[in-house]
Amino acid sequence: MTDQNFSTQSQLRPHWLVVGFLLILLIAYNLVCHVWGAELRINLDEAQREIIRSIFYGVAIILFPLTNLLRFILVRLNQTMPGDKPAKQRYFFTTTVALLLIETVAVFGFVMFILGDDFNTLYIFSVLGALGLFLHHPKIHELEAIDEALSAKNQ
């Protein structure tokens, strides 16, 4: 591992802290549902839950490619936008926005559980949220590309 690569990896620590926080949050509300699930449930009518669940599934299906597109656009903007913010700070905003957007999918499972759905729905949305965290984790090559573009622009 070169010094440059180690330096880049150390710049991604705050980014990985966001990923870790969101993963802990995902685990926490799954544990809350297991421990205090009976007290939290509203038990909405099945027909109403089915409509809400279908809407949530539709939004989740749309959010995955939309988040990917948004992340792509933000990375490109990080490379081209004027300003004196360093690459690390620009990329932190990009990863945080993408992770928060995709993590709303996991929150759908928690909401559905509160509304009266079973653990199956909670687990499906939680796994989708974890998949989103995996897909949109901080990537060294994106930060390096931003850093190189900014360096080339400043010279």
Side-chain angles (χ1 to χ4, degrees):
M1 182 181 297
T2 64
D3 289 337
Q4 172 68 19
N5 201 7
F6 178 75
S7 173
T8 305
Q9 283 183 340
S10 67
Q11 288 181 3
L12 288 178
R13 276 196 193 115
H15 306 72
W16 281 105
L17 285 174
V18 171
V19 173
F21 172 75
L22 291 173
L23 187 60
I24 289 170
L25 192 62
L26 181 116
I27 293 167
Y29 60 73
N30 274 275
L31 288 174
V32 165
C33 288
H34 279 282
V35 175
W36 295 290
E39 294 95 30
L40 293 174
R41 296 182 108 170
I42 297 173
N43 291 324
L44 198 63
D45 181 52
E46 175 63 29
Q48 291 174 325
R49 281 189 318 218
E50 190 173 317
I51 293 169
I52 296 169
R53 186 183 324 115
S54 298
I55 291 170
F56 282 171
Y57 279 133
V59 170
I61 289 168
I62 292 169
L63 270 178
F64 271 87
L66 181 68
T67 303
N68 198 35
L69 176 65
L70 180 66
R71 181 182 177 123
F72 176 80
I73 291 169
L74 288 175
V75 168
R76 297 302 167 253
L77 284 174
N78 287 336
Q79 295 171 340
T80 59
M81 289 297 288
D84 57 351
K85 285 186 180 177
K88 174 185 167 183
Q89 195 173 4
R90 292 173 181 226
Y91 190 59
F92 182 78
F93 175 77
T94 298
T95 55
T96 303
V97 167
L99 290 170
L100 289 175
L101 187 60
I102 203 65
E103 195 58 21
T104 59
V105 172
V107 174
F108 294 163
F110 182 68
V111 170
M112 288 307 301
F113 185 82
I114 298 293
L115 294 178
D117 257 8
D118 57 1
F119 283 102
N120 190 35
T121 304
L122 174 70
Y123 295 150
I124 290 170
F125 281 115
S126 294
V127 167
L128 287 173
L131 175 66
L133 288 177
F134 173 74
L135 292 174
H136 296 287
H137 69 277
K139 297 172 177 78
I140 293 174
H141 66 88
E142 288 179 340
L143 178 60
E144 288 174 343
I146 294 168
D147 198 31
E148 287 173 13
L150 291 177
S151 296
K153 193 167 65 171
N154 290 335
Q155 290 182 5

